[in-house]
Amino acid sequence: MSLVLCGVPKGSVLGPILFLLYCADVTNIAERHGVTAHSYADDTQLYVHCKTQQCATEASRLTRCISELDSWMTSNRLRLNSDKTQFIWVGSRQQLANVSVSEIIVNGHRITPSPIVTCLGVDIDAELTFASHVKRVAARCFYQLRQLWSIRPALSADNARMLVHALIASRVDYCNGILYQAAAVHLRPFQSVLNAAARLVVKKRKRDSIIPTLRDNLHWLMVRQRIEFKICLLVYKCLHHLSAPYLESMITPVSAVSTRRRHLRSAGLGDVVVPRTRTVGFGPRSFSVAGPSLWNTLPIDTKVASLTVSTFRNQLKTEMFLRSYFAPAQPS
């Protein structure tokens, strides 16, 4: 057994819970500086929000927070990896054009804002279009499809469908909730991936029409409805206390609001409160707004509180299936 002189090794024997306890002070330090922190394993993201005129002030506050975090890590035999630190400004194109801060300094390293940063495998761009993320994932999916085509003659239909779900659909559906209300042009690569995957399963040629196959044989949802399905399912889990507490706090049934009368029609329909937003572009895309908005559009029988998870999923799939192929197209 080797002696560890400093730091917490990767794959630590501490385990997830003890490691979180070991690093609990990170969040406290961030809160003292008025910075929001989010951690996943040994990766930590720090967030500040401000108007464009206050960017320099917020950048200085963020730098002070990072300096204190570096001191804390040093005293606890950890190390802040400056080489892996990324920094990005997020906002509309007009807002980003008025940002005056061109760099921040971390441990003597000058870090310039990146146009794209990666968080948990998702490429986040400055304008939150997620176009680069969709293109990257779609390229990987098409690579997998080319490999599957080479062995397709040796596969049965069931095995081909299983491999497509494991290698293709799982990538398309990963963190797809962030793509809610994304422009149709940015979702098109994902739809092309699903169309190509369907052709592989049923052995159709590239130019053959695939929509009837998606609808009648495979029963796959279109990309936009797959996103809405994921968000509505998460709202259901929040209402039934099957999700994380911080997500549950974003979902409030109308019937539970004391300032509203319980006999209101929206309370009887099982609706949830849709909070107001300050922005038109980004605000409605957050889960706290998108979740309630989508949930309130579901039929009454789908929002019955007594439904089990499996029953709710089946009814939700039916509703999203109707929206995919039989509802009039919505402008994007």
Side-chain angles (χ1 to χ4, degrees), residues 73-185:
M73 289 184 175
T74 302
S75 63
N76 285 271
R77 298 180 178 181
L78 297 173
R79 179 187 174 190
L80 177 65
N81 198 330
S82 303
D83 296 336
K84 293 184 177 180
T85 301
Q86 295 178 301
F87 174 60
I88 187 173
W89 288 113
V90 176
S92 65
R93 185 173 303 178
Q94 294 77 11
Q95 291 171 332
L96 294 173
N98 295 325
V99 174
S100 58
V101 179
S102 59
E103 64 180 14
I104 63 172
I105 300 177
V106 177
N107 290 344
H109 292 77
R110 296 182 179 273
I111 301 176
T112 58
S114 303
I116 298 174
V117 299
T118 302
C119 178
L120 300 180
V122 176
D123 292 343
I124 303 174
D125 59 283
E127 297 182 29
L128 295 183
T129 63
F130 297 103
S132 60
H133 171 72
V134 172
K135 290 180 180 178
R136 178 178 62 83
V137 175
R140 293 183 178 181
C141 290
F142 278 120
Y143 170 79
Q144 297 293 338
L145 285 171
R146 288 192 294 270
Q147 304 305 310
L148 290 176
W149 267 114
S150 64
I151 62 172
R152 180 63 182 89
L155 297 175
S156 65
D158 291 339
N159 288 337
R161 184 181 301 192
M162 178 182 64
L163 288 173
V164 162
H165 281 299
L167 300 176
I168 309 301
S170 61
R171 285 183 165 91
V172 172
D173 292 338
Y174 175 71
C175 290
N176 63 351
I178 62 174
L179 300 176
Y180 177 70
Q181 286 193 351
V185 66

Side-chain angles (χ1 to χ4, degrees), residues 37-301:
H38 181 79
S39 298
Y40 183 84
D42 60 342
D43 291 330
T44 301
Q45 295 87 39
L46 301 177
Y47 303 92
V48 293
H49 60 89
C50 63
K51 297 182 178 179
T52 54
Q53 299 85 351
Q54 303 170 335
C55 287
T57 303
E58 295 300 322
S60 299
R61 178 158 51 138
L62 188 62
T63 303
R64 292 193 299 270
C65 178
I66 295 175
S67 298
E68 186 174 345
L69 283 174
D70 180 48
S71 301
W72 176 86
M73 289 184 175
T74 302
S75 63
N76 285 271
R77 298 180 178 181
L78 297 173
R79 179 187 174 190
L80 177 65
N81 198 330
S82 303
D83 296 336
K84 293 184 177 180
T85 301
Q86 295 178 301
F87 174 60
I88 187 173
W89 288 113
V90 176
S92 65
R93 185 173 303 178
Q94 294 77 11
Q95 291 171 332
L96 294 173
N98 295 325
V99 174
S100 58
V101 179
S102 59
E103 64 180 14
I104 63 172
I105 300 177
V106 177
N107 290 344
H109 292 77
R110 296 182 179 273
I111 301 176
T112 58
S114 303
I116 298 174
V117 299
T118 302
C119 178
L120 300 180
V122 176
D123 292 343
I124 303 174
D125 59 283
E127 297 182 29
L128 295 183
T129 63
F130 297 103
S132 60
H133 171 72
V134 172
K135 290 180 180 178
R136 178 178 62 83
V137 175
R140 293 183 178 181
C141 290
F142 278 120
Y143 170 79
Q144 297 293 338
L145 285 171
R146 288 192 294 270
Q147 304 305 310
L148 290 176
W149 267 114
S150 64
I151 62 172
R152 180 63 182 89
L155 297 175
S156 65
D158 291 339
N159 288 337
R161 184 181 301 192
M162 178 182 64
L163 288 173
V164 162
H165 281 299
L167 300 176
I168 309 301
S170 61
R171 285 183 165 91
V172 172
D173 292 338
Y174 175 71
C175 290
N176 63 351
I178 62 174
L179 300 176
Y180 177 70
Q181 286 193 351
V185 66
H186 298 320
L187 295 180
R188 198 169 298 156
F190 273 175
Q191 190 60 56
S192 298
V193 166
L194 291 179
N195 294 347
R199 291 188 175 96
L200 182 142
V201 172
V202 298
K203 291 185 177 181
K204 280 199 171 186
R205 294 176 298 179
K206 182 178 180 180
R207 298 189 181 277
D208 291 341
S209 176
I210 199 61
I211 297 300
T213 301
L214 289 171
R215 182 188 63 228
D216 302 329
N217 298 343
L218 299 177
H219 306 291
W220 290 359
L221 298 177
M222 305 295 278
V223 170
R224 194 171 294 278
Q225 279 67 46
R226 295 173 84 97
I227 296 170
E228 294 177 356
F229 179 92
K230 177 75 72 64
I231 295 175
C232 289
L233 180 59
L234 189 54
V235 174
Y236 170 90
K237 292 182 177 180
C238 291
L239 291 173
H240 291 76
H241 307 292
L242 301 174
S243 185
Y246 77 94
L247 289 175
E248 293 180 6
S249 64
M250 300 180 187
I251 305 299
T252 305
V254 172
S255 59
V257 181
S258 59
T259 56
R260 300 193 181 188
R261 296 183 181 274
R262 293 181 179 271
H263 62 267
L264 286 178
R265 183 171 179 269
S266 57
L269 295 177
D271 287 353
V272 295
V273 178
V274 181
R276 296 181 179 180
T277 61
R278 296 182 180 180
T279 59
V280 177
F282 295 143
R285 296 175 61 182
S286 64
F287 173 71
S288 60
V289 179
S293 299
L294 286 173
W295 179 267
N296 292 347
T297 64
L298 297 178
I300 301 177
D301 56 348

Side-chain angles (χ1 to χ4, degrees), residues 6-22:
C6 63
V8 178
K10 218 166 191 179
S12 171
V13 293
L14 290 177
I17 296 179
L18 291 179
F19 181 78
L20 291 175
L21 291 174
Y22 190 82

